[in-house]
Amino acid sequence: MAAPVPTPKAILRGHKAAVHATEFLWRNERLASGDAEGYIVIWDVSIMRPKAVWRAHESAILGIKAWGPDKIITHGRDHKLIVWKLEAGDEKGLSAALPVEEVAAKRPQPWMTNLLEVNTMNFCAFGVCSRIATDQGIGSASSILVTVPNTLASEAIDIYEVPSQSRIHTVQPGKGNGMAMSLVLFHHQETLTLLAGFENGYASVHRLLENGIWITTYRSQAHSQPILSLDIHPSCESFITSSADSIIAKHPIPTTQQEVPAPFDPSNRIIEEIEASGETSPSLLSAGLEKQPAQNTSSSTSTWKEWEHPLKVVNTKHAGQQGLRLRSDGRIFATAGWDTKIRIYSAKTMKELAVLQWHKVGCYAVAFANVKTADPSSSDSTGDTGSQSQNVDETLTQAMVNTTGNRGQQTSVALRRISQARTTHWVAAGAKDGKISLWDMY
């Protein structure tokens, strides 16, 4: 019998414009989506209903990230990066009217804590990490680092500190790359590291040395078209890129440059042969060589350059895959295709595992629910999918089931829905039709 065709668990309707960004928030209880008109919708995943809607930007949303339990970062093409303060209790004061609905008054916005003027001509979403290296990411960080394309030079990349909003670094990847198209910022072995994908198909790795100088440890052109998206494996040992072409490539994250031996110098070989022959009276040739300046010695020393070979390159035969995201356990990754399909791949073998098709128009964004596992850095572990949170919720649910009255029964149902929302391996895909499909995968 043929394998059953995957079907979405739910379809979230309400955006009037194409959905360009999706992100799970707050232990997967909420899903944030942003569209081409700048609207943000916060969905309650347990009941599949909107909880908060506002227009965050005057133009398309490029990226959304959660910062701790009470802040959301949005990045729009109106040259603004904004930090909003939003907790679950704050949703009551906001509108739940979806963007497709006509409202008489302007929808209220959450409290804006920071506004950073940035360059968004590149269509490049921001990257973010904590100010100080920590295993908790930006969840508990009081200050963060944000990376965006440089305001003046499209090839350069700026790094800002928030909340001070001061620019602390400018990375110069080199000329000829074209615009920066995708960025990831993180701490690797307590060293600030930047992954970048460019318009000419190059992907590069840049590390900040102790002396404040940025070096390029990896640079490779696996793609013939602009890189549309990239994401890092939870182990921080590799990253994957997708492009406007049909290639998907896995790249290493070297901590140092590679040593390149100096080219062969015949003069050094002549001196070595004379010394090996035991000749006591040097010839005129050898004497002349010995009198040469020390430049021969320096030319024989090794040089250092960036690594340039990807780990694996796969031609998927499907052009235009973007929004690439790796799941939190590192086992699989997904892409949103211009051909309307969401594709699931093995992060280890790079083989296609599933094709999810529901939308009739192109898909732009993908997000995975962050479900805790026993070993998130392992690409083969199945792990315990949020067992600690699930046990707590089941205990609360059982206590409410034992109570009497309709209120206790309703609360127990709500708790079960919340527990399911937290522990399901959701895949959320946003498309040009303004709809979001929710899938339960593996």
Side-chain angles (χ1 to χ4, degrees), residues 42-305:
I42 307 296
W43 305 87
D44 187 335
V45 179
S46 64
I47 60 174
M48 306 298 176
R49 294 290 185 271
K51 298 294 288 185
V53 181
W54 75 95
R55 193 173 189 186
H57 297 271
E58 297 299 321
S59 189
I61 302 293
L62 294 175
I64 307 171
K65 291 290 183 183
W67 179 6
D70 61 348
K71 290 187 285 292
I72 296 175
I73 310 170
T74 63
H75 187 198
R77 286 215 67 218
D78 55 357
H79 305 287
K80 296 177 182 178
L81 187 144
I82 303 175
V83 180
W84 309 91
K85 188 179 186 302
L86 181 64
E87 299 179 275
D90 300 332
E91 294 173 343
K92 297 179 181 179
L94 300 177
S95 173
L98 289 162
V100 293
E101 302 175 21
E102 296 293 335
V103 294
K106 184 179 179 180
R107 295 175 179 83
Q109 295 180 334
W111 180 30
M112 184 188 303
T113 63
N114 298 95
L115 189 153
L116 190 64
E117 299 283 348
V118 297
N119 171 29
T120 56
M121 295 301 294
N122 297 29
F123 299 90
C124 177
F126 71 105
V128 62
C129 72
S130 60
R131 181 71 175 86
I132 302 173
T134 173
D135 295 334
Q136 302 299 322
I138 65 173
S140 58
S142 59
S143 63
I144 58 174
L145 299 178
V146 173
T147 180
V148 292
N150 182 267
T151 304
L152 300 178
S154 60
E155 296 179 346
I157 300 165
D158 289 336
I159 298 177
Y160 292 86
E161 195 273 338
V162 177
S164 71
Q165 301 182 192
S166 57
R167 185 173 62 183
I168 60 175
H169 297 289
T170 296
V171 184
Q172 302 284 352
K175 297 182 178 180
N177 290 332
M179 296 188 297
M181 302 293 292
S182 187
L183 303 171
V184 169
L185 188 66
F186 66 107
H187 294 277
H188 187 209
Q189 299 179 1
E190 299 186 353
T191 300
L192 189 61
T193 305
L194 173 68
L195 310 180
F198 294 94
E199 188 180 10
N200 65 349
Y202 269 92
S204 57
V205 178
H206 311 272
R207 289 172 63 86
L208 179 63
L209 301 180
E210 293 182 356
N211 58 7
I213 297 176
W214 286 87
I215 64 166
T216 302
T217 60
Y218 175 80
R219 186 172 183 267
S220 177
Q221 188 179 24
H223 302 278
S224 60
Q225 296 292 325
I227 290 178
L228 299 178
S229 58
L230 64 86
D231 200 12
I232 184 174
H233 193 275
S235 66
C236 295
E237 295 178 356
S238 62
F239 67 101
I240 303 176
T241 57
S242 68
S243 170
D245 59 22
S246 58
I247 299 297
I248 290 179
K250 181 189 289 186
H251 309 266
I253 305 179
T255 57
T256 60
Q257 293 183 331
Q258 63 175 327
E259 186 176 6
V260 180
F264 176 70
D265 189 347
S267 63
N268 291 337
R269 179 65 179 272
I270 295 173
I271 294 175
E272 291 174 358
E273 290 178 352
I274 293 175
E275 292 177 348
S277 65
E279 185 178 338
T280 55
S281 56
S283 64
L284 293 176
L285 175 61
S286 62
L289 291 173
E290 289 177 354
K291 291 181 181 179
Q292 294 213 3
Q295 61 183 10
N296 283 340
T297 304
S298 62
S299 64
S300 64
T301 59
S302 299
T303 59
W304 294 82
K305 61 174 293 187

